[in-house]
Amino acid sequence: MDKVTSDRIQKLHPLVRNEVKQIIKECDEALTGRAKIRITQGLRSFEEQERLYAIGRLTSGKKVTNAKAGQSIHNYGLAVDICLIIDRKTASWDTAKDWDNDKVADWYECVKIFARHGWDWGGNWKTFKDLPHFEKKEIPSEKGPIKTSWRTLLKMPRDKEGYVKL
């Protein structure tokens, strides 16, 4: 795991940090060729979310998100975006390339690993597919699993670090 990924994991919600470390470890072990996984985005502030939402609406460019501030699971530290780093230097979002020649696209090897850990892939969404995006579907709690819908998370109290109390 590279330093960029490690630093981004440390900013995720405390309840998912160790799980994400394990997912990255499993992905890197599965990718036996030239590719390794990198987290390109993790926790995102409401201000960052508003700036992204403005792209293609208030500022020039192609729309990158349909989520306003508070409507993205990134805003709660429960989502990550990834890319593959090839030969430790080049970022790739190629979902079809099989860098380790095992007859399975490296991207889909990672998709399967995230799914085994209960993470939803943006590539499975019906509209506005987001191939780099993964989000935790639900969080275990003493009262039973909490679905990670932004509508639920937005109403939850926060701890002193600003993370929702789950």
Side-chain angles (χ1 to χ4, degrees), residues 108-128:
Y108 291 98
E109 291 183 64
C110 294
V111 167
K112 290 177 193 173
I113 291 166
F114 271 95
R116 276 200 313 264
H117 287 271
W119 289 67
D120 188 30
W121 178 44
N124 287 332
W125 295 348
K126 303 257 186 288
T127 59
F128 206 84

Side-chain angles (χ1 to χ4, degrees), residues 42-84:
L43 177 65
R44 188 183 297 147
S45 72
F46 279 36
E47 293 79 17
E48 289 173 284
Q49 192 67 39
E50 281 301 312
R51 280 195 297 276
L52 288 176
Y53 185 77
I55 297 170
R57 292 177 178 86
L58 303 175
T59 63
S60 63
K62 184 181 174 194
K63 289 180 185 177
V64 296
T65 184
N66 282 332
K68 295 179 181 179
Q71 297 178 347
S72 171
I73 303 303
H74 282 289
N75 298 146
Y76 307 96
L78 298 167
V80 296
D81 293 344
I82 68 163
C83 74
L84 298 176

Side-chain angles (χ1 to χ4, degrees), residues 21 42 62-63 79 115 133 156:
K21 285 179 193 173
K62 184 181 174 194
K63 289 180 185 177
H133 182 87
M156 297 179 86

Side-chain angles (χ1 to χ4, degrees), residues 14 16 38 43 78 84 87-88 118 148-149 153 165:
V16 299
R38 172 175 286 172
L43 177 65
L78 298 167
L84 298 176
D87 297 328
R88 297 187 173 160
T148 55
S149 115
L153 295 167
K165 293 182 181 180

Side-chain angles (χ1 to χ4, degrees), residues 83-84 86 91-99 105-108 131:
C83 74
L84 298 176
I86 313 307
S92 171
W93 288 267
D94 187 332
T95 60
K97 187 74 174 158
D98 179 17
W99 295 99
D106 289 3
W107 197 274
Y108 291 98
L131 301 180

